[in-house]
Amino acid sequence: MKKRKTVFVEGPISPSFIANSIEKHQTKTTIGAHDIFLGQVRADEINGKIVQAIDYSAYAEMAEEKFHEIRENTFSKYDLTCMHIYHSLGKVKAGEICLFVFVSAPHRKVAFEALEFLVEEIKKNVPVFGKEIFEDETHVWKVNKV
Amino acid sequence: MELKVLYFGMIAEATNRKEETISLELGSNVNQLQNLLKDKYKNLQHLSFKVSVDKEISSSEVLLNPNNEIALLPPFSGG
């Protein structure tokens, strides 16, 4: 069993945090392939108004349990060396990163497949709710496309 | 029995609260709770949501007990 990790971070995920994560893996020399997914907030136009930011909230205890289950399932399904998931809570502006999923494996194919599986599972099963905020402070609630 | 119910996202907005205690007859199921809440908060009738019992999405026949943590979850939109 891998130890349980906290996924949520307050605010956007910075590019330097991502660069640091990559650097930390340079000592793990059984790894031959990394694959990374970055979710970025889109400035969608909805009914003539442009999204400025998404304010994320979550049912945190359930979400952490789901993240844990998804991690365990992915590790049992794919031969990965390691896996990291970070998701923002609170306000993330358009253009900033709200989801960072990082998988590493000896070879590329496993990394590609595991990453897609992971991201789809997260979108489908983790109780996170995004409020899309417009410039005039009004908002709509985002719904993930299947 | 007294049940603790949590609300999230657009559901919390519709009920104007994040949690509350609901009284329901002993032996009630998820469906009965849903009906009571839709009656109490008319705008829930137009919203899509799932009910979780102890952090698992549950079907409407699941029986409830006072120790359960119940939540009304609108569509997920992580990532």
Coordinates of all heavy atoms in Angstrom, one line a residue, chain A residues 8-13 37-44 51-60 63 67 86-100 122-123 126-133 139-144, chain B residues 8-10 18 75-79:
Chain A
F8 N -5.4 18.1 -2.5 CA -5.9 19.5 -2.6 C -4.8 20.6 -2.3 O -4.1 20.4 -1.3 CB -7.1 19.8 -1.8 CG -8.3 19.1 -2.4 CD1 -9.0 18.1 -1.7 CD2 -8.8 19.4 -3.7 CE1 -10.1 17.4 -2.2 CE2 -9.8 18.7 -4.3 CZ -10.5 17.7 -3.5
V9 N -4.7 21.6 -3.1 CA -3.8 22.7 -2.8 C -4.7 24.0 -2.9 O -5.7 24.0 -3.7 CB -2.6 22.8 -3.8 CG1 -1.7 21.7 -3.6 CG2 -3.1 22.9 -5.2
E10 N -4.4 25.0 -2.2 CA -5.2 26.2 -2.2 C -4.7 27.1 -3.3 O -3.5 27.4 -3.5 CB -5.0 26.9 -0.8 CG -6.0 28.0 -0.5 CD -7.5 27.5 -0.5 OE1 -7.7 26.3 -0.1 OE2 -8.3 28.2 -1.1
G11 N -5.6 27.5 -4.2 CA -5.3 28.4 -5.3 C -4.7 27.6 -6.5 O -4.6 26.4 -6.5
P12 N -4.1 28.4 -7.5 CA -3.6 27.7 -8.7 C -2.3 26.9 -8.4 O -1.7 27.2 -7.4 CB -3.3 28.9 -9.6 CG -3.1 30.1 -8.7 CD -4.1 29.8 -7.5
I13 N -2.0 26.0 -9.3 CA -0.8 25.2 -9.2 C 0.2 25.9 -10.1 O 0.0 26.1 -11.3 CB -1.0 23.8 -9.7 CG1 -2.1 23.1 -8.8 CG2 0.3 23.0 -9.7 CD1 -2.8 21.9 -9.4
F37 N -0.5 15.5 -17.2 CA -1.7 16.2 -17.6 C -1.8 17.5 -16.8 O -1.7 17.4 -15.6 CB -2.9 15.4 -17.4 CG -4.2 16.1 -17.8 CD1 -4.6 16.1 -19.1 CD2 -4.9 16.7 -16.8 CE1 -5.8 16.8 -19.5 CE2 -6.1 17.4 -17.2 CZ -6.5 17.5 -18.5
L38 N -2.1 18.6 -17.5 CA -2.3 19.9 -16.8 C -3.7 20.4 -17.2 O -3.9 20.6 -18.4 CB -1.2 20.9 -17.2 CG 0.2 20.5 -16.8 CD1 1.2 21.6 -17.4 CD2 0.4 20.4 -15.3
G39 N -4.6 20.6 -16.2 CA -5.9 21.2 -16.5 C -5.7 22.7 -16.3 O -5.2 23.1 -15.3
Q40 N -6.2 23.4 -17.3 CA -6.1 24.9 -17.3 C -7.5 25.5 -17.4 O -8.3 25.0 -18.1 CB -5.2 25.3 -18.4 CG -5.1 26.8 -18.6 CD -3.9 27.2 -19.6 OE1 -2.8 27.0 -19.3 NE2 -4.3 27.8 -20.7
V41 N -7.7 26.5 -16.6 CA -9.0 27.2 -16.6 C -9.2 28.0 -17.9 O -8.4 28.8 -18.3 CB -9.2 28.1 -15.4 CG1 -10.5 28.9 -15.5 CG2 -9.2 27.3 -14.1
R42 N -10.3 27.6 -18.6 CA -10.6 28.3 -19.9 C -11.5 29.5 -19.7 O -12.4 29.6 -18.8 CB -11.5 27.3 -20.8 CG -10.8 26.6 -21.8 CD -11.8 25.9 -22.7 NE -13.0 25.5 -22.0 CZ -13.2 24.3 -21.5 NH1 -12.3 23.4 -21.6 NH2 -14.3 24.0 -20.9
A43 N -11.2 30.6 -20.5 CA -12.1 31.8 -20.4 C -13.2 31.6 -21.4 O -13.3 32.2 -22.4 CB -11.2 33.0 -20.8
D44 N -14.1 30.6 -21.1 CA -15.3 30.4 -21.9 C -16.2 31.6 -22.0 O -16.3 32.3 -21.0 CB -16.1 29.2 -21.3 CG -15.5 27.8 -21.7 OD1 -14.6 27.8 -22.6 OD2 -16.0 26.8 -21.2
V51 N -15.8 34.0 -18.8 CA -15.3 33.4 -17.5 C -14.0 34.0 -17.1 O -13.0 34.0 -17.9 CB -15.2 31.9 -17.6 CG1 -14.6 31.3 -16.3 CG2 -16.6 31.3 -17.8
Q52 N -13.9 34.6 -15.9 CA -12.6 35.1 -15.4 C -11.9 34.2 -14.6 O -10.6 34.2 -14.5 CB -13.0 36.4 -14.5 CG -13.7 37.5 -15.3 CD -12.9 38.1 -16.3 OE1 -11.8 38.5 -16.1 NE2 -13.5 38.3 -17.5
A53 N -12.6 33.3 -13.8 CA -12.0 32.4 -12.9 C -12.9 31.3 -12.5 O -14.1 31.4 -12.8 CB -11.6 33.2 -11.6
I54 N -12.4 30.2 -12.0 CA -13.3 29.2 -11.4 C -12.9 29.1 -10.0 O -11.8 29.0 -9.6 CB -13.1 27.8 -12.1 CG1 -13.5 27.9 -13.6 CG2 -13.9 26.7 -11.4 CD1 -13.4 26.6 -14.4
D55 N -14.0 29.1 -9.2 CA -13.8 28.9 -7.7 C -14.2 27.5 -7.4 O -15.4 27.1 -7.5 CB -14.8 29.9 -7.0 CG -14.5 30.0 -5.5 OD1 -13.6 29.2 -5.0 OD2 -15.2 30.8 -4.8
Y56 N -13.2 26.7 -7.0 CA -13.4 25.3 -6.7 C -13.7 25.0 -5.3 O -13.1 25.5 -4.4 CB -12.2 24.5 -7.1 CG -12.0 24.3 -8.6 CD1 -11.0 25.1 -9.3 CD2 -12.7 23.4 -9.3 CE1 -10.8 25.0 -10.6 CE2 -12.5 23.3 -10.7 CZ -11.6 24.1 -11.3 OH -11.4 23.9 -12.7
S57 N -14.8 24.2 -5.1 CA -15.0 23.6 -3.7 C -15.2 22.1 -3.9 O -15.3 21.6 -5.0 CB -16.3 24.3 -3.2 OG -17.4 24.0 -4.0
A58 N -15.2 21.4 -2.7 CA -15.2 20.0 -2.8 C -15.8 19.4 -1.5 O -15.9 20.1 -0.5 CB -13.8 19.4 -3.0
Y59 N -16.4 18.2 -1.7 CA -16.7 17.4 -0.5 C -15.4 16.7 -0.1 O -15.1 15.7 -0.6 CB -17.8 16.4 -0.9 CG -18.3 15.5 0.2 CD1 -17.9 15.6 1.5 CD2 -19.3 14.5 -0.1 CE1 -18.4 14.8 2.5 CE2 -19.8 13.7 0.9 CZ -19.4 13.8 2.2 OH -19.9 13.0 3.1
A60 N -14.6 17.5 0.6 CA -13.1 17.1 0.8 C -12.9 15.7 1.3 O -12.1 15.0 0.7 CB -12.4 18.1 1.7
A63 N -13.8 13.3 -1.4 CA -12.9 13.5 -2.6 C -11.5 12.8 -2.3 O -11.0 12.1 -3.1 CB -12.7 15.0 -2.9
F67 N -9.9 9.9 -4.5 CA -8.6 10.0 -5.0 C -7.7 8.8 -4.6 O -7.0 8.2 -5.4 CB -7.9 11.3 -4.6 CG -8.2 12.5 -5.3 CD1 -8.7 13.7 -4.7 CD2 -8.0 12.6 -6.7 CE1 -9.0 14.8 -5.5 CE2 -8.3 13.7 -7.5 CZ -8.8 14.8 -6.8
Y86 N -2.5 16.6 -8.0 CA -2.8 17.8 -7.3 C -4.0 18.5 -7.9 O -4.1 18.6 -9.1 CB -1.6 18.7 -7.3 CG -0.4 18.1 -6.6 CD1 0.6 17.5 -7.4 CD2 -0.2 18.2 -5.2 CE1 1.7 16.9 -6.8 CE2 0.9 17.6 -4.6 CZ 1.8 16.9 -5.4 OH 2.9 16.4 -4.8
H87 N -4.9 18.9 -7.1 CA -6.1 19.7 -7.6 C -6.3 20.9 -6.7 O -6.1 20.9 -5.5 CB -7.3 18.8 -7.5 CG -8.5 19.3 -8.3 ND1 -9.1 20.5 -8.1 CD2 -9.1 18.7 -9.4 CE1 -10.0 20.7 -9.0 NE2 -10.1 19.6 -9.8
S88 N -6.6 22.0 -7.4 CA -6.8 23.3 -6.7 C -8.2 23.3 -6.0 O -9.1 22.7 -6.4 CB -6.8 24.4 -7.7 OG -5.6 24.6 -8.3
L89 N -8.2 24.1 -4.9 CA -9.4 24.5 -4.3 C -9.4 26.0 -4.3 O -8.3 26.6 -4.3 CB -9.5 24.0 -2.9 CG -9.9 22.5 -2.7 CD1 -10.1 22.2 -1.2 CD2 -11.2 22.2 -3.4
G90 N -10.5 26.7 -4.2 CA -10.6 28.1 -4.2 C -10.4 28.7 -5.6 O -10.6 28.0 -6.6
K91 N -10.0 29.9 -5.7 CA -10.1 30.6 -7.0 C -8.9 30.4 -7.9 O -7.7 30.5 -7.4 CB -10.2 32.1 -6.7 CG -11.2 32.8 -7.6 CD -11.2 34.3 -7.2 CE -12.5 34.9 -7.7 NZ -12.6 36.3 -7.4
V92 N -9.1 30.0 -9.1 CA -8.1 29.8 -10.1 C -8.5 30.6 -11.3 O -9.6 30.4 -11.9 CB -7.9 28.3 -10.5 CG1 -6.8 28.2 -11.5 CG2 -7.6 27.5 -9.2
K93 N -7.7 31.6 -11.7 CA -8.0 32.5 -12.8 C -7.8 31.8 -14.2 O -7.1 30.8 -14.3 CB -7.1 33.7 -12.8 CG -7.4 34.6 -11.7 CD -6.5 35.9 -11.8 CE -6.1 36.5 -10.5 NZ -4.7 36.9 -10.4
A94 N -8.5 32.3 -15.2 CA -8.4 31.8 -16.6 C -6.9 31.8 -16.9 O -6.2 32.8 -16.7 CB -9.2 32.6 -17.5
G95 N -6.5 30.7 -17.5 CA -5.1 30.6 -17.9 C -4.2 29.9 -16.9 O -3.1 29.5 -17.2
E96 N -4.7 29.8 -15.6 CA -3.9 29.2 -14.6 C -4.2 27.7 -14.5 O -5.3 27.2 -15.0 CB -4.2 29.8 -13.2 CG -3.6 31.3 -13.2 CD -3.9 31.9 -11.8 OE1 -4.9 31.7 -11.2 OE2 -3.0 32.8 -11.5
I97 N -3.3 26.9 -13.9 CA -3.5 25.5 -13.8 C -4.3 25.1 -12.5 O -4.0 25.5 -11.4 CB -2.1 24.8 -13.7 CG1 -1.2 25.2 -14.9 CG2 -2.2 23.3 -13.6 CD1 -1.7 24.8 -16.3
C98 N -5.3 24.2 -12.7 CA -6.1 23.7 -11.6 C -6.0 22.2 -11.3 O -6.4 21.7 -10.3 CB -7.6 24.1 -11.9 SG -8.1 23.4 -13.4
L99 N -5.4 21.5 -12.3 CA -5.2 20.0 -12.0 C -3.8 19.6 -12.6 O -3.5 20.0 -13.8 CB -6.3 19.3 -12.7 CG -6.2 17.7 -12.8 CD1 -6.2 17.1 -11.3 CD2 -7.3 17.1 -13.6
F100 N -3.1 18.9 -11.8 CA -1.7 18.4 -12.2 C -1.7 16.9 -11.9 O -1.7 16.5 -10.8 CB -0.7 19.2 -11.4 CG 0.7 18.7 -11.5 CD1 1.2 18.1 -12.7 CD2 1.6 18.9 -10.5 CE1 2.6 17.6 -12.7 CE2 3.0 18.5 -10.5 CZ 3.4 17.9 -11.7
I122 N -10.8 10.7 -12.4 CA -10.9 11.9 -11.6 C -12.1 12.8 -12.0 O -12.9 13.1 -11.1 CB -9.6 12.8 -11.6 CG1 -8.4 12.0 -11.0 CG2 -9.8 14.1 -11.0 CD1 -7.1 12.6 -11.3
K123 N -12.2 13.0 -13.3 CA -13.3 13.9 -13.7 C -14.7 13.3 -13.4 O -15.7 14.0 -13.1 CB -13.2 14.1 -15.3 CG -12.0 14.9 -15.7 CD -12.3 16.1 -16.3 CE -11.1 17.0 -16.7 NZ -11.5 18.4 -17.0
V126 N -14.8 12.2 -8.7 CA -14.4 13.0 -7.5 C -15.3 14.2 -7.3 O -15.5 14.9 -8.3 CB -12.9 13.4 -7.7 CG1 -12.5 14.2 -6.4 CG2 -12.0 12.2 -7.8
P127 N -15.9 14.3 -6.1 CA -16.8 15.4 -5.9 C -16.2 16.7 -5.7 O -16.0 17.2 -4.6 CB -17.6 14.9 -4.6 CG -16.6 14.1 -3.9 CD -15.8 13.4 -4.9
V128 N -15.8 17.3 -6.8 CA -15.3 18.7 -6.9 C -16.3 19.5 -7.7 O -16.8 19.0 -8.7 CB -13.9 18.7 -7.5 CG1 -13.4 20.1 -7.7 CG2 -12.9 17.9 -6.7
F129 N -16.5 20.7 -7.3 CA -17.5 21.6 -7.9 C -16.9 22.9 -8.3 O -16.3 23.6 -7.5 CB -18.7 21.8 -7.0 CG -19.1 20.5 -6.3 CD1 -18.8 20.3 -5.0 CD2 -19.8 19.5 -7.0 CE1 -19.1 19.1 -4.4 CE2 -20.1 18.3 -6.4 CZ -19.8 18.1 -5.1
G130 N -17.0 23.3 -9.6 CA -16.4 24.5 -10.1 C -17.5 25.6 -10.4 O -18.4 25.3 -11.1
K131 N -17.3 26.7 -9.7 CA -18.2 27.9 -10.0 C -17.5 28.8 -10.9 O -16.4 29.4 -10.6 CB -18.4 28.5 -8.6 CG -19.4 29.6 -8.7 CD -20.0 29.9 -7.3 CE -19.1 30.8 -6.5 NZ -19.7 31.3 -5.2
E132 N -18.0 29.0 -12.1 CA -17.4 29.9 -13.1 C -17.8 31.3 -12.9 O -19.0 31.6 -12.9 CB -17.8 29.4 -14.5 CG -17.3 28.0 -14.8 CD -17.6 27.5 -16.2 OE1 -18.8 27.5 -16.6 OE2 -16.7 27.1 -17.0
I133 N -16.8 32.2 -12.6 CA -17.1 33.5 -12.2 C -16.9 34.5 -13.4 O -15.8 34.4 -14.0 CB -16.3 33.9 -11.0 CG1 -16.6 32.9 -9.8 CG2 -16.6 35.3 -10.5 CD1 -15.6 33.0 -8.7
H139 N -22.2 34.3 -11.6 CA -21.6 33.0 -11.8 C -22.5 32.0 -12.4 O -23.7 32.1 -12.3 CB -20.9 32.5 -10.5 CG -21.9 32.1 -9.5 ND1 -22.3 33.0 -8.5 CD2 -22.7 31.0 -9.3 CE1 -23.2 32.4 -7.7 NE2 -23.5 31.2 -8.2
V140 N -22.0 30.9 -12.9 CA -22.7 29.7 -13.3 C -21.9 28.5 -12.7 O -20.7 28.7 -12.5 CB -22.9 29.5 -14.8 CG1 -23.9 30.6 -15.3 CG2 -21.6 29.5 -15.6
W141 N -22.6 27.4 -12.6 CA -21.9 26.2 -12.1 C -21.4 25.3 -13.3 O -22.2 25.0 -14.2 CB -22.7 25.4 -11.1 CG -22.9 26.1 -9.8 CD1 -23.9 27.0 -9.5 CD2 -22.0 26.1 -8.7 NE1 -23.7 27.5 -8.2 CE2 -22.6 26.9 -7.7 CE3 -20.8 25.4 -8.4 CZ2 -22.0 27.1 -6.5 CZ3 -20.2 25.6 -7.2 CH2 -20.8 26.4 -6.2
K142 N -20.2 25.0 -13.3 CA -19.6 24.2 -14.4 C -20.1 22.7 -14.2 O -20.2 22.2 -13.1 CB -18.1 24.3 -14.2 CG -17.3 23.6 -15.4 CD -15.8 24.0 -15.2 CE -15.0 23.2 -16.1 NZ -14.3 22.0 -15.5
V143 N -20.3 22.1 -15.4 CA -20.6 20.6 -15.4 C -19.6 20.0 -16.4 O -19.4 20.4 -17.5 CB -22.0 20.4 -15.9 CG1 -22.3 18.9 -16.0 CG2 -23.0 21.0 -14.9
N144 N -18.9 18.9 -16.0 CA -17.9 18.2 -16.8 C -18.6 17.5 -18.0 O -19.6 16.8 -17.8 CB -17.1 17.2 -16.0 CG -16.0 17.9 -15.3 OD1 -15.7 19.1 -15.6 ND2 -15.3 17.2 -14.4
Chain B
F8 N -23.6 20.7 -1.3 CA -22.5 21.3 -2.0 C -22.8 22.0 -3.3 O -23.9 21.7 -3.9 CB -21.5 20.1 -2.3 CG -20.9 19.5 -1.1 CD1 -21.4 18.4 -0.5 CD2 -19.7 20.1 -0.5 CE1 -20.9 17.9 0.7 CE2 -19.2 19.6 0.6 CZ -19.7 18.5 1.3
G9 N -21.9 22.9 -3.7 CA -22.1 23.6 -5.0 C -23.4 24.2 -5.1 O -23.9 24.9 -4.3
M10 N -24.0 24.0 -6.3 CA -25.3 24.7 -6.6 C -26.4 24.2 -5.7 O -27.4 24.9 -5.6 CB -25.7 24.5 -8.1 CG -26.0 23.1 -8.5 SD -26.6 23.0 -10.2 CE -25.0 22.8 -11.1
K18 N -25.1 25.0 4.1 CA -24.1 23.9 3.8 C -24.5 22.6 4.5 O -24.0 21.6 4.0 CB -22.7 24.4 4.2 CG -22.2 25.5 3.3 CD -20.8 25.9 3.5 CE -20.3 26.8 2.3 NZ -19.1 27.4 2.6
P75 N -23.7 17.8 -10.2 CA -22.7 17.2 -11.1 C -21.3 17.6 -10.8 O -21.1 18.8 -10.5 CB -23.2 17.8 -12.5 CG -24.7 18.0 -12.3 CD -24.8 18.5 -10.9
F76 N -20.4 16.7 -11.0 CA -19.0 17.0 -10.6 C -18.3 17.8 -11.7 O -18.6 17.6 -12.9 CB -18.2 15.7 -10.5 CG -18.7 14.8 -9.4 CD1 -18.3 13.4 -9.3 CD2 -19.6 15.2 -8.5 CE1 -18.7 12.6 -8.3 CE2 -20.1 14.4 -7.4 CZ -19.6 13.1 -7.4
S77 N -17.4 18.7 -11.4 CA -16.8 19.5 -12.4 C -15.3 19.8 -12.0 O -14.8 20.9 -12.1 CB -17.5 20.8 -12.6 OG -17.8 21.4 -11.4
G78 N -14.6 18.7 -11.5 CA -13.2 18.9 -11.2 C -12.4 18.9 -12.5 O -12.8 18.6 -13.6
G79 N -11.1 19.4 -12.3 CA -10.2 19.3 -13.4 C -10.1 20.5 -14.2 O -10.9 21.1 -14.8

